[in-house]
Amino acid sequence: REVNTLGIKESDIVEAIQKYNPRIVHISNHDDIYNYLKENVKEDDIVITLGAGYVTKVAELLVKEN
């Protein structure tokens, strides 16, 4: 894992985005991400994920199911 040389935390990013969109959803646990999206994403929704590793597979899993 990279060293955080700037001291920016997940919560900093979430708080900055919430200033513009209070409906932002932040989920850290990978299984919870998948389950939340599976239950809540509707046609024409846009989903943005940040990270590496498993989180990049979430979209693939959701598309395969539909």
Side-chain angles (χ1 to χ4, degrees):
R1 192 168 176 133
E2 302 89 16
V3 175
N4 184 352
T5 58
L6 300 177
I8 297 172
K9 303 179 299 271
E10 290 178 18
S11 59
D12 296 331
I13 297 169
V14 172
E15 289 172 13
I17 295 171
Q18 283 177 330
K19 291 177 185 176
Y20 301 96
N21 183 354
R23 298 181 334 171
I24 184 176
V25 176
H26 171 252
I27 305 169
S28 291
N29 179 284
H30 293 125
D31 292 331
D32 292 343
I33 293 168
Y34 174 76
N35 291 328
Y36 177 86
L37 293 174
K38 185 176 173 185
E39 294 174 12
N40 292 283
V41 172
K42 297 173 183 63
E43 187 173 346
D44 296 326
D45 281 353
I46 296 172
V47 177
I48 300 172
T49 59
L50 297 173
Y54 178 78
V55 75
T56 62
K57 303 291 183 196
V58 171
E60 293 174 17
L61 292 172
L62 291 170
V63 169
K64 284 182 183 178
E65 288 189 3
N66 293 316

